[in-house]
Amino acid sequence: MQIAQHLQQTPTSYIREILSDATAEGVISLAGGLPASDHFPIDLIEPSLQSLARAKPEVFQYGETQGYRPLLDFFQQIYQLPETHSALVCNGSQQALDLIARTFLNPGDGVAMEAPSYLGALQVFAIAQARVESVTQQADGPDLNELAELFASGKVKLFYAVPDFHNPTGLSWSLATRKAVAELCIAHGITLIEDAPYRELRFTGTALPLVSSFCPDHALVLRSFSKIATPGFRLGVATGPSQWLDEMIKVKQAADLHTNLPMQEVLLQLLQHQDFPKHIDHLRQLYRSRYQCLADALHKELPAGCEFDDIEGGMFIWLNLPEGDPMAIAKAAIKEKVAVVPSTVFYDQGTEGKPALRLNFSYPSPDELQVAAQRLAKVLAG
Amino acid sequence: MQIAQHLQQTPTSYIREILSDATAEGVISLAGGLPASDHFPIDLIEPSLQSLARAKPEVFQYGETQGYRPLLDFFQQIYQLPETHSALVCNGSQQALDLIARTFLNPGDGVAMEAPSYLGALQVFAIAQARVESVTQQADGPDLNELAELFASGKVKLFYAVPDFHNPTGLSWSLATRKAVAELCIAHGITLIEDAPYRELRFTGTALPLVSSFCPDHALVLRSFSKIATPGFRLGVATGPSQWLDEMIKVKQAADLHTNLPMQEVLLQLLQHQDFPKHIDHLRQLYRSRYQCLADALHKELPAGCEFDDIEGGMFIWLNLPEGDPMAIAKAAIKEKVAVVPSTVFYDQGTEGKPALRLNFSYPSPDELQVAAQRLAKVLAG
């Protein structure tokens, strides 16, 4: 049976390939985007799991497509959604993005993205047969002149962005950029898709408002609980104007009826737990120390010309290389038993950025980060 | 923001509308497809939930797109999959169907279905912009002459079917029909999508082999755990030739990365529990008694000309009406405080069957079933 034509152009994921090599014996992986395994809030989750079967029998039956009502009510309140806005619980924010593409994009519709960009978003837009329009990413966000010109051209319908601790570069937008982008979205009738999975993982500097807070009726916000709760739950939420969410709910109904309910109840109890803020603080401190460990080791070990910007949160360092083919370097690194992701995979086909590697520091232990930096130095010196 | 063009033709779901009326105060609902709420295997599930956090910490991290490896291994074994076949865990079998459509269907591709047919499948194929080709359903399965002619015409790529206790009609295919359909699929290179959510709910008669057992390399099988475990878990599985599953896995990766892991571990423990076969036996006896209760009440209460075939399992009675507009009758029934689903919604746009109502007997209590039959009789006599 032939696969559908629109999938025949989808690039095979290098990340899939490298991640399978990355799990080989002795390989230290800086390639994934995994939170630290030993620091999930198990103590806070365990009592909910233990009482679930007796306390909440309703979570075993079919539920509403939109989500588990007590969790939806909680989101409405903590995100201070106006009456005209609502929430949709999804199987991770990845599904929320996929539902947006399926609900609003026709083949050939334009989507603006910073380059480089999140691979999972590139895959979603490729399947939707959207046309990706890349905008240069600067240290404080997208190039505003480029963005204004692109918006004015009428070529795009959506702007997909990760303004806090971007994947793959770790960069965050300045306050001025946030306001300017929101104004551009309003002025040109472009919908902002604000993907905020790393937002809570700020370990230094001052938190800035969501971009969508400056253009709430022109934005859909995607939040993930994979980084602050656990990825295994596969829970995320989309919020925004109800007339858009209502259309996405219809597609979700056909896609999988609704998201699993027991995990929604467990998440609700976790988010309401009095010790949950402490858990987030713990993660921030943990990731700050791991970041510092990797950053120090890289500064010490790497040859001249390999540079990276300081970051204030998230899970990634974007290591700019003076030269070379990042894919070849990543393959050579695997032979030295360290896995990294080459910059190439984060660009839409046809665009190409400066050579770089994405390095994850949230998952490996401090010892592993140090050894990984030494191995990487050997490859880059080679 | 405009929705995508291919969604503008999707009919609004009457079931959504009627289900919201069906939950109004005092209404007895025979409209849903819900299993009995008080009979979930809570006792068997509870110990797994209680030990999960400590015993299986790996279920909190990201996992493989294909599914939780111990559960996949279990499926490989119990379904006796050959080496060339594999399994993909999905968010209910609904997602498996959606992934099949997204992976293999181009806009305009033909899909054969029995008429009437499962509404959730009609929705999936509408979103995929497939062309549905209806085949008449007879008491022992699809009209084989029609099917042979349709397959020979080259107009269809897939045949979607529910051979065991069909939704909405409750009918099952005979052994001869199963073999004949499998031969037709092989002869014409058509892929059978065998959807088997009700298969374990046989309460009388003899179990027959899966249709796909006669054409394993020309079929994808969808199994659901919503009816035998719990729907809230949102777990189903697709099995079939690995080269097809591999393509679906790529789409699932973009769609939601993977299905939630804690529920997969709990399901695995449930399916392996020594008392699980007893639970299935209990459900069969329960549904037989509820079916008998509704059938007896209908025979006693209904006016002449309202008839239904005996069924051997599942969750539905298909009540044929002598005349009238089923949609108008369903609306009148709501006023009499009984909710049913009119036959109209189970047909693709453009086709129309004889007037009928789908009546669910798995969810309401015996007392409710009796009162519902009386109320329905009043509407139909009216």
PDB file of all heavy atoms in Angstrom, chain A residues 4-5 43 46 54 60 62 91 94 98 102-103 106 227 232 254, chain B residues 4-5 43 46 54 60-62 91 94 98 102-103 106 227 232 254:
ATOM      1  N   ALA A   4       0.550   8.172   1.444  1.00  0.00           N
ATOM      2  CA  ALA A   4      -0.043   9.359   0.826  1.00  0.00           C
ATOM      3  C   ALA A   4       1.047  10.248   0.234  1.00  0.00           C
ATOM      4  O   ALA A   4       2.170  10.299   0.745  1.00  0.00           O
ATOM      5  CB  ALA A   4      -0.862  10.124   1.859  1.00  0.00           C
ATOM      6  N   GLN A   5       0.699  10.932  -0.844  1.00  0.00           N
ATOM      7  CA  GLN A   5       1.693  11.751  -1.563  1.00  0.00           C
ATOM      8  C   GLN A   5       2.323  12.817  -0.679  1.00  0.00           C
ATOM      9  O   GLN A   5       3.508  13.088  -0.783  1.00  0.00           O
ATOM     10  CB  GLN A   5       1.039  12.397  -2.786  1.00  0.00           C
ATOM     11  CG  GLN A   5       0.953  11.440  -3.976  1.00  0.00           C
ATOM     12  CD  GLN A   5      -0.135  11.816  -4.963  1.00  0.00           C
ATOM     13  OE1 GLN A   5      -0.656  12.923  -4.920  1.00  0.00           O
ATOM     14  NE2 GLN A   5      -0.494  10.884  -5.822  1.00  0.00           N
ATOM     15  N   ASP A  43       7.171  11.947  44.544  1.00  0.00           N
ATOM     16  CA  ASP A  43       6.572  12.026  45.889  1.00  0.00           C
ATOM     17  C   ASP A  43       5.236  12.761  45.872  1.00  0.00           C
ATOM     18  O   ASP A  43       4.340  12.449  46.660  1.00  0.00           O
ATOM     19  CB  ASP A  43       7.511  12.766  46.854  1.00  0.00           C
ATOM     20  CG  ASP A  43       8.737  11.932  47.183  1.00  0.00           C
ATOM     21  OD1 ASP A  43       8.710  10.710  46.933  1.00  0.00           O
ATOM     22  OD2 ASP A  43       9.728  12.511  47.670  1.00  0.00           O
ATOM     23  N   GLU A  46       2.615  10.326  43.737  1.00  0.00           N
ATOM     24  CA  GLU A  46       2.273   8.990  44.250  1.00  0.00           C
ATOM     25  C   GLU A  46       0.941   8.935  45.012  1.00  0.00           C
ATOM     26  O   GLU A  46       0.125   8.043  44.741  1.00  0.00           O
ATOM     27  CB  GLU A  46       3.423   8.469  45.129  1.00  0.00           C
ATOM     28  CG  GLU A  46       3.240   7.003  45.485  1.00  0.00           C
ATOM     29  CD  GLU A  46       4.444   6.430  46.226  1.00  0.00           C
ATOM     30  OE1 GLU A  46       5.193   7.209  46.854  1.00  0.00           O
ATOM     31  OE2 GLU A  46       4.621   5.204  46.167  1.00  0.00           O
ATOM     32  N   ARG A  54     -10.346   4.720  43.779  1.00  0.00           N
ATOM     33  CA  ARG A  54     -11.511   4.852  44.670  1.00  0.00           C
ATOM     34  C   ARG A  54     -12.078   6.265  44.684  1.00  0.00           C
ATOM     35  O   ARG A  54     -13.289   6.457  44.752  1.00  0.00           O
ATOM     36  CB  ARG A  54     -11.130   4.469  46.109  1.00  0.00           C
ATOM     37  CG  ARG A  54     -10.646   3.061  46.280  1.00  0.00           C
ATOM     38  CD  ARG A  54     -11.732   2.020  46.013  1.00  0.00           C
ATOM     39  NE  ARG A  54     -11.110   0.767  45.567  1.00  0.00           N
ATOM     40  CZ  ARG A  54     -11.788  -0.273  45.099  1.00  0.00           C
ATOM     41  NH1 ARG A  54     -13.107  -0.227  44.990  1.00  0.00           N
ATOM     42  NH2 ARG A  54     -11.163  -1.364  44.702  1.00  0.00           N
ATOM     43  N   PHE A  60     -12.528   6.787  34.667  1.00  0.00           N
ATOM     44  CA  PHE A  60     -12.399   5.551  33.892  1.00  0.00           C
ATOM     45  C   PHE A  60     -13.380   5.493  32.721  1.00  0.00           C
ATOM     46  O   PHE A  60     -13.205   4.702  31.801  1.00  0.00           O
ATOM     47  CB  PHE A  60     -12.558   4.332  34.815  1.00  0.00           C
ATOM     48  CG  PHE A  60     -11.474   4.276  35.854  1.00  0.00           C
ATOM     49  CD1 PHE A  60     -11.700   4.698  37.157  1.00  0.00           C
ATOM     50  CD2 PHE A  60     -10.201   3.856  35.509  1.00  0.00           C
ATOM     51  CE1 PHE A  60     -10.679   4.678  38.102  1.00  0.00           C
ATOM     52  CE2 PHE A  60      -9.176   3.831  36.440  1.00  0.00           C
ATOM     53  CZ  PHE A  60      -9.411   4.254  37.748  1.00  0.00           C
ATOM     54  N   TYR A  62     -15.651   7.258  29.425  1.00  0.00           N
ATOM     55  CA  TYR A  62     -15.416   8.269  28.385  1.00  0.00           C
ATOM     56  C   TYR A  62     -15.636   9.661  28.964  1.00  0.00           C
ATOM     57  O   TYR A  62     -16.434   9.841  29.886  1.00  0.00           O
ATOM     58  CB  TYR A  62     -16.397   8.090  27.219  1.00  0.00           C
ATOM     59  CG  TYR A  62     -16.071   6.961  26.270  1.00  0.00           C
ATOM     60  CD1 TYR A  62     -16.848   5.809  26.243  1.00  0.00           C
ATOM     61  CD2 TYR A  62     -15.009   7.057  25.374  1.00  0.00           C
ATOM     62  CE1 TYR A  62     -16.564   4.762  25.370  1.00  0.00           C
ATOM     63  CE2 TYR A  62     -14.722   6.018  24.498  1.00  0.00           C
ATOM     64  CZ  TYR A  62     -15.501   4.875  24.495  1.00  0.00           C
ATOM     65  OH  TYR A  62     -15.209   3.857  23.634  1.00  0.00           O
ATOM     66  N   ASN A  91      -2.726  15.626  24.032  1.00  0.00           N
ATOM     67  CA  ASN A  91      -1.680  14.642  24.338  1.00  0.00           C
ATOM     68  C   ASN A  91      -0.324  15.307  24.146  1.00  0.00           C
ATOM     69  O   ASN A  91       0.371  15.076  23.162  1.00  0.00           O
ATOM     70  CB  ASN A  91      -1.780  13.441  23.415  1.00  0.00           C
ATOM     71  CG  ASN A  91      -3.162  12.850  23.401  1.00  0.00           C
ATOM     72  OD1 ASN A  91      -3.824  12.769  24.432  1.00  0.00           O
ATOM     73  ND2 ASN A  91      -3.634  12.475  22.232  1.00  0.00           N
ATOM     74  N   GLN A  94       2.617  18.897  21.609  1.00  0.00           N
ATOM     75  CA  GLN A  94       2.830  18.453  20.225  1.00  0.00           C
ATOM     76  C   GLN A  94       1.483  18.214  19.536  1.00  0.00           C
ATOM     77  O   GLN A  94       1.285  18.617  18.388  1.00  0.00           O
ATOM     78  CB  GLN A  94       3.657  17.169  20.210  1.00  0.00           C
ATOM     79  CG  GLN A  94       3.986  16.635  18.804  1.00  0.00           C
ATOM     80  CD  GLN A  94       5.023  17.467  18.075  1.00  0.00           C
ATOM     81  OE1 GLN A  94       5.879  18.090  18.694  1.00  0.00           O
ATOM     82  NE2 GLN A  94       4.940  17.508  16.754  1.00  0.00           N
ATOM     83  N   ASP A  98      -0.252  20.011  16.198  1.00  0.00           N
ATOM     84  CA  ASP A  98      -0.752  19.230  15.074  1.00  0.00           C
ATOM     85  C   ASP A  98      -2.222  19.576  14.799  1.00  0.00           C
ATOM     86  O   ASP A  98      -2.638  19.712  13.638  1.00  0.00           O
ATOM     87  CB  ASP A  98      -0.584  17.740  15.386  1.00  0.00           C
ATOM     88  CG  ASP A  98      -0.909  16.843  14.190  1.00  0.00           C
ATOM     89  OD1 ASP A  98      -0.430  17.143  13.070  1.00  0.00           O
ATOM     90  OD2 ASP A  98      -1.626  15.854  14.365  1.00  0.00           O
ATOM     91  N   ARG A 102      -3.889  21.049  11.387  1.00  0.00           N
ATOM     92  CA  ARG A 102      -4.968  20.333  10.698  1.00  0.00           C
ATOM     93  C   ARG A 102      -6.236  21.166  10.592  1.00  0.00           C
ATOM     94  O   ARG A 102      -7.035  20.990   9.679  1.00  0.00           O
ATOM     95  CB  ARG A 102      -5.293  19.031  11.435  1.00  0.00           C
ATOM     96  CG  ARG A 102      -4.153  18.056  11.476  1.00  0.00           C
ATOM     97  CD  ARG A 102      -4.534  16.782  12.187  1.00  0.00           C
ATOM     98  NE  ARG A 102      -5.373  15.934  11.348  1.00  0.00           N
ATOM     99  CZ  ARG A 102      -5.893  14.778  11.729  1.00  0.00           C
ATOM    100  NH1 ARG A 102      -5.689  14.348  12.960  1.00  0.00           N
ATOM    101  NH2 ARG A 102      -6.622  14.054  10.910  1.00  0.00           N
ATOM    102  N   THR A 103      -6.429  22.052  11.572  1.00  0.00           N
ATOM    103  CA  THR A 103      -7.675  22.818  11.619  1.00  0.00           C
ATOM    104  C   THR A 103      -7.620  24.067  10.735  1.00  0.00           C
ATOM    105  O   THR A 103      -8.621  24.461  10.140  1.00  0.00           O
ATOM    106  CB  THR A 103      -7.994  23.230  13.072  1.00  0.00           C
ATOM    107  OG1 THR A 103      -7.997  22.070  13.888  1.00  0.00           O
ATOM    108  CG2 THR A 103      -9.349  23.929  13.171  1.00  0.00           C
ATOM    109  N   ASN A 106      -4.453  25.148   4.954  1.00  0.00           N
ATOM    110  CA  ASN A 106      -4.639  24.502   3.660  1.00  0.00           C
ATOM    111  C   ASN A 106      -3.260  24.207   3.075  1.00  0.00           C
ATOM    112  O   ASN A 106      -2.293  24.906   3.381  1.00  0.00           O
ATOM    113  CB  ASN A 106      -5.393  25.434   2.708  1.00  0.00           C
ATOM    114  CG  ASN A 106      -6.791  25.735   3.204  1.00  0.00           C
ATOM    115  OD1 ASN A 106      -7.566  24.825   3.453  1.00  0.00           O
ATOM    116  ND2 ASN A 106      -7.101  27.009   3.358  1.00  0.00           N
ATOM    117  N   LYS A 227       7.965  19.190  30.937  1.00  0.00           N
ATOM    118  CA  LYS A 227       9.195  19.655  31.557  1.00  0.00           C
ATOM    119  C   LYS A 227       9.024  19.904  33.056  1.00  0.00           C
ATOM    120  O   LYS A 227       9.978  19.779  33.813  1.00  0.00           O
ATOM    121  CB  LYS A 227       9.702  20.926  30.865  1.00  0.00           C
ATOM    122  CG  LYS A 227      10.480  20.679  29.574  1.00  0.00           C
ATOM    123  CD  LYS A 227       9.701  19.962  28.504  1.00  0.00           C
ATOM    124  CE  LYS A 227      10.486  19.719  27.238  1.00  0.00           C
ATOM    125  NZ  LYS A 227       9.679  19.100  26.183  1.00  0.00           N
ATOM    126  N   GLY A 232       6.017  11.416  30.398  1.00  0.00           N
ATOM    127  CA  GLY A 232       5.278  10.172  30.200  1.00  0.00           C
ATOM    128  C   GLY A 232       3.771  10.366  30.239  1.00  0.00           C
ATOM    129  O   GLY A 232       3.023   9.615  29.623  1.00  0.00           O
ATOM    130  N   ALA A 254     -12.379  13.583  16.140  1.00  0.00           N
ATOM    131  CA  ALA A 254     -12.116  12.554  15.124  1.00  0.00           C
ATOM    132  C   ALA A 254     -10.740  11.927  15.337  1.00  0.00           C
ATOM    133  O   ALA A 254     -10.520  10.760  15.031  1.00  0.00           O
ATOM    134  CB  ALA A 254     -12.211  13.161  13.730  1.00  0.00           C
TER     135      ALA A 254
ATOM    136  N   ALA B   4      -9.548  25.393   7.735  1.00  0.00           N
ATOM    137  CA  ALA B   4      -9.082  24.815   6.473  1.00  0.00           C
ATOM    138  C   ALA B   4     -10.277  24.405   5.611  1.00  0.00           C
ATOM    139  O   ALA B   4     -11.327  24.018   6.130  1.00  0.00           O
ATOM    140  CB  ALA B   4      -8.190  23.621   6.753  1.00  0.00           C
ATOM    141  N   GLN B   5     -10.093  24.493   4.305  1.00  0.00           N
ATOM    142  CA  GLN B   5     -11.195  24.220   3.385  1.00  0.00           C
ATOM    143  C   GLN B   5     -11.760  22.812   3.547  1.00  0.00           C
ATOM    144  O   GLN B   5     -12.961  22.607   3.458  1.00  0.00           O
ATOM    145  CB  GLN B   5     -10.735  24.441   1.944  1.00  0.00           C
ATOM    146  CG  GLN B   5     -10.762  25.919   1.557  1.00  0.00           C
ATOM    147  CD  GLN B   5      -9.819  26.245   0.410  1.00  0.00           C
ATOM    148  OE1 GLN B   5      -9.353  25.351  -0.286  1.00  0.00           O
ATOM    149  NE2 GLN B   5      -9.528  27.519   0.224  1.00  0.00           N
ATOM    150  N   ASP B  43     -10.962  -3.172  40.842  1.00  0.00           N
ATOM    151  CA  ASP B  43     -10.210  -4.000  41.799  1.00  0.00           C
ATOM    152  C   ASP B  43      -8.911  -4.535  41.196  1.00  0.00           C
ATOM    153  O   ASP B  43      -7.918  -4.696  41.903  1.00  0.00           O
ATOM    154  CB  ASP B  43     -11.056  -5.202  42.257  1.00  0.00           C
ATOM    155  CG  ASP B  43     -12.200  -4.768  43.153  1.00  0.00           C
ATOM    156  OD1 ASP B  43     -12.157  -3.624  43.658  1.00  0.00           O
ATOM    157  OD2 ASP B  43     -13.139  -5.563  43.334  1.00  0.00           O
ATOM    158  N   GLU B  46      -6.468  -1.213  40.602  1.00  0.00           N
ATOM    159  CA  GLU B  46      -6.025  -0.427  41.750  1.00  0.00           C
ATOM    160  C   GLU B  46      -4.606  -0.767  42.233  1.00  0.00           C
ATOM    161  O   GLU B  46      -3.799   0.150  42.444  1.00  0.00           O
ATOM    162  CB  GLU B  46      -7.036  -0.570  42.897  1.00  0.00           C
ATOM    163  CG  GLU B  46      -6.761   0.425  44.017  1.00  0.00           C
ATOM    164  CD  GLU B  46      -7.841   0.401  45.086  1.00  0.00           C
ATOM    165  OE1 GLU B  46      -8.549  -0.624  45.207  1.00  0.00           O
ATOM    166  OE2 GLU B  46      -7.968   1.408  45.802  1.00  0.00           O
ATOM    167  N   ARG B  54       6.586   3.813  42.318  1.00  0.00           N
ATOM    168  CA  ARG B  54       7.852   3.240  42.811  1.00  0.00           C
ATOM    169  C   ARG B  54       8.361   2.116  41.915  1.00  0.00           C
ATOM    170  O   ARG B  54       9.568   1.973  41.719  1.00  0.00           O
ATOM    171  CB  ARG B  54       7.665   2.682  44.231  1.00  0.00           C
ATOM    172  CG  ARG B  54       7.279   3.710  45.264  1.00  0.00           C
ATOM    173  CD  ARG B  54       8.370   4.750  45.519  1.00  0.00           C
ATOM    174  NE  ARG B  54       7.750   5.997  45.979  1.00  0.00           N
ATOM    175  CZ  ARG B  54       8.401   7.148  46.097  1.00  0.00           C
ATOM    176  NH1 ARG B  54       9.692   7.239  45.791  1.00  0.00           N
ATOM    177  NH2 ARG B  54       7.769   8.237  46.491  1.00  0.00           N
ATOM    178  N   PHE B  60       7.560   7.572  33.553  1.00  0.00           N
ATOM    179  CA  PHE B  60       7.383   9.024  33.672  1.00  0.00           C
ATOM    180  C   PHE B  60       8.217   9.798  32.649  1.00  0.00           C
ATOM    181  O   PHE B  60       7.968  10.974  32.401  1.00  0.00           O
ATOM    182  CB  PHE B  60       7.704   9.472  35.101  1.00  0.00           C
ATOM    183  CG  PHE B  60       6.760   8.870  36.101  1.00  0.00           C
ATOM    184  CD1 PHE B  60       7.119   7.772  36.861  1.00  0.00           C
ATOM    185  CD2 PHE B  60       5.470   9.372  36.234  1.00  0.00           C
ATOM    186  CE1 PHE B  60       6.225   7.186  37.752  1.00  0.00           C
ATOM    187  CE2 PHE B  60       4.575   8.804  37.115  1.00  0.00           C
ATOM    188  CZ  PHE B  60       4.948   7.699  37.878  1.00  0.00           C
ATOM    189  N   GLN B  61       9.220   9.149  32.070  1.00  0.00           N
ATOM    190  CA  GLN B  61      10.085   9.793  31.068  1.00  0.00           C
ATOM    191  C   GLN B  61       9.441   9.683  29.675  1.00  0.00           C
ATOM    192  O   GLN B  61       8.438   8.987  29.511  1.00  0.00           O
ATOM    193  CB  GLN B  61      11.462   9.097  31.093  1.00  0.00           C
ATOM    194  CG  GLN B  61      12.566   9.735  30.274  1.00  0.00           C
ATOM    195  CD  GLN B  61      12.802  11.216  30.530  1.00  0.00           C
ATOM    196  OE1 GLN B  61      12.076  12.058  29.990  1.00  0.00           O
ATOM    197  NE2 GLN B  61      13.813  11.541  31.348  1.00  0.00           N
ATOM    198  N   TYR B  62      10.002  10.386  28.690  1.00  0.00           N
ATOM    199  CA  TYR B  62       9.601  10.172  27.295  1.00  0.00           C
ATOM    200  C   TYR B  62       9.831   8.717  26.918  1.00  0.00           C
ATOM    201  O   TYR B  62      10.732   8.053  27.458  1.00  0.00           O
ATOM    202  CB  TYR B  62      10.444  11.048  26.350  1.00  0.00           C
ATOM    203  CG  TYR B  62      10.038  12.503  26.295  1.00  0.00           C
ATOM    204  CD1 TYR B  62      10.840  13.487  26.858  1.00  0.00           C
ATOM    205  CD2 TYR B  62       8.871  12.896  25.650  1.00  0.00           C
ATOM    206  CE1 TYR B  62      10.486  14.835  26.794  1.00  0.00           C
ATOM    207  CE2 TYR B  62       8.511  14.243  25.586  1.00  0.00           C
ATOM    208  CZ  TYR B  62       9.317  15.203  26.156  1.00  0.00           C
ATOM    209  OH  TYR B  62       8.966  16.527  26.087  1.00  0.00           O
ATOM    210  N   ASN B  91      -3.812   6.260  21.069  1.00  0.00           N
ATOM    211  CA  ASN B  91      -4.766   6.833  22.023  1.00  0.00           C
ATOM    212  C   ASN B  91      -6.168   6.353  21.650  1.00  0.00           C
ATOM    213  O   ASN B  91      -6.953   7.091  21.071  1.00  0.00           O
ATOM    214  CB  ASN B  91      -4.731   8.354  21.981  1.00  0.00           C
ATOM    215  CG  ASN B  91      -3.342   8.898  22.153  1.00  0.00           C
ATOM    216  OD1 ASN B  91      -2.556   8.381  22.940  1.00  0.00           O
ATOM    217  ND2 ASN B  91      -3.014   9.929  21.401  1.00  0.00           N
ATOM    218  N   GLN B  94      -9.543   4.810  17.867  1.00  0.00           N
ATOM    219  CA  GLN B  94      -9.904   5.974  17.044  1.00  0.00           C
ATOM    220  C   GLN B  94      -8.647   6.630  16.464  1.00  0.00           C
ATOM    221  O   GLN B  94      -8.601   6.987  15.291  1.00  0.00           O
ATOM    222  CB  GLN B  94     -10.675   6.993  17.895  1.00  0.00           C
ATOM    223  CG  GLN B  94     -11.150   8.236  17.132  1.00  0.00           C
ATOM    224  CD  GLN B  94     -12.304   7.954  16.181  1.00  0.00           C
ATOM    225  OE1 GLN B  94     -13.100   7.055  16.406  1.00  0.00           O
ATOM    226  NE2 GLN B  94     -12.387   8.713  15.092  1.00  0.00           N
ATOM    227  N   ASP B  98      -7.403   7.190  12.528  1.00  0.00           N
ATOM    228  CA  ASP B  98      -7.012   8.507  12.024  1.00  0.00           C
ATOM    229  C   ASP B  98      -5.600   8.452  11.413  1.00  0.00           C
ATOM    230  O   ASP B  98      -5.346   9.033  10.363  1.00  0.00           O
ATOM    231  CB  ASP B  98      -7.076   9.530  13.170  1.00  0.00           C
ATOM    232  CG  ASP B  98      -6.882  10.962  12.700  1.00  0.00           C
ATOM    233  OD1 ASP B  98      -7.512  11.363  11.696  1.00  0.00           O
ATOM    234  OD2 ASP B  98      -6.100  11.697  13.336  1.00  0.00           O
ATOM    235  N   ARG B 102      -4.431   9.316   7.611  1.00  0.00           N
ATOM    236  CA  ARG B 102      -3.423  10.351   7.348  1.00  0.00           C
ATOM    237  C   ARG B 102      -2.213   9.787   6.610  1.00  0.00           C
ATOM    238  O   ARG B 102      -1.525  10.499   5.892  1.00  0.00           O
ATOM    239  CB  ARG B 102      -2.956  10.991   8.663  1.00  0.00           C
ATOM    240  CG  ARG B 102      -4.046  11.704   9.396  1.00  0.00           C
ATOM    241  CD  ARG B 102      -3.517  12.343  10.677  1.00  0.00           C
ATOM    242  NE  ARG B 102      -2.756  13.545  10.399  1.00  0.00           N
ATOM    243  CZ  ARG B 102      -2.157  14.284  11.327  1.00  0.00           C
ATOM    244  NH1 ARG B 102      -2.212  13.905  12.592  1.00  0.00           N
ATOM    245  NH2 ARG B 102      -1.491  15.378  11.001  1.00  0.00           N
ATOM    246  N   THR B 103      -1.925   8.513   6.857  1.00  0.00           N
ATOM    247  CA  THR B 103      -0.717   7.916   6.292  1.00  0.00           C
ATOM    248  C   THR B 103      -0.939   7.419   4.873  1.00  0.00           C
ATOM    249  O   THR B 103      -0.034   7.508   4.031  1.00  0.00           O
ATOM    250  CB  THR B 103      -0.246   6.738   7.178  1.00  0.00           C
ATOM    251  OG1 THR B 103      -0.088   7.198   8.516  1.00  0.00           O
ATOM    252  CG2 THR B 103       1.083   6.173   6.681  1.00  0.00           C
ATOM    253  N   ASN B 106      -4.833   9.800  -0.022  1.00  0.00           N
ATOM    254  CA  ASN B 106      -4.782  11.089  -0.701  1.00  0.00           C
ATOM    255  C   ASN B 106      -6.203  11.615  -0.821  1.00  0.00           C
ATOM    256  O   ASN B 106      -7.158  10.829  -0.859  1.00  0.00           O
ATOM    257  CB  ASN B 106      -4.205  10.918  -2.103  1.00  0.00           C
ATOM    258  CG  ASN B 106      -2.763  10.441  -2.060  1.00  0.00           C
ATOM    259  OD1 ASN B 106      -1.924  11.062  -1.414  1.00  0.00           O
ATOM    260  ND2 ASN B 106      -2.482   9.328  -2.735  1.00  0.00           N
ATOM    261  N   LYS B 227     -13.696  -1.083  25.831  1.00  0.00           N
ATOM    262  CA  LYS B 227     -14.867  -1.870  26.206  1.00  0.00           C
ATOM    263  C   LYS B 227     -14.526  -2.943  27.233  1.00  0.00           C
ATOM    264  O   LYS B 227     -15.375  -3.321  28.029  1.00  0.00           O
ATOM    265  CB  LYS B 227     -15.498  -2.508  24.955  1.00  0.00           C
ATOM    266  CG  LYS B 227     -16.436  -1.585  24.170  1.00  0.00           C
ATOM    267  CD  LYS B 227     -15.772  -0.347  23.624  1.00  0.00           C
ATOM    268  CE  LYS B 227     -16.692   0.545  22.823  1.00  0.00           C
ATOM    269  NZ  LYS B 227     -15.990   1.701  22.260  1.00  0.00           N
ATOM    270  N   GLY B 232     -11.538   5.579  29.690  1.00  0.00           N
ATOM    271  CA  GLY B 232     -10.785   6.738  30.172  1.00  0.00           C
ATOM    272  C   GLY B 232      -9.292   6.626  29.899  1.00  0.00           C
ATOM    273  O   GLY B 232      -8.604   7.633  29.760  1.00  0.00           O
ATOM    274  N   ALA B 254       4.875  12.927  14.745  1.00  0.00           N
ATOM    275  CA  ALA B 254       4.517  14.337  14.566  1.00  0.00           C
ATOM    276  C   ALA B 254       3.204  14.664  15.267  1.00  0.00           C
ATOM    277  O   ALA B 254       3.002  15.786  15.731  1.00  0.00           O
ATOM    278  CB  ALA B 254       4.419  14.664  13.073  1.00  0.00           C
TER     279      ALA B 254
END
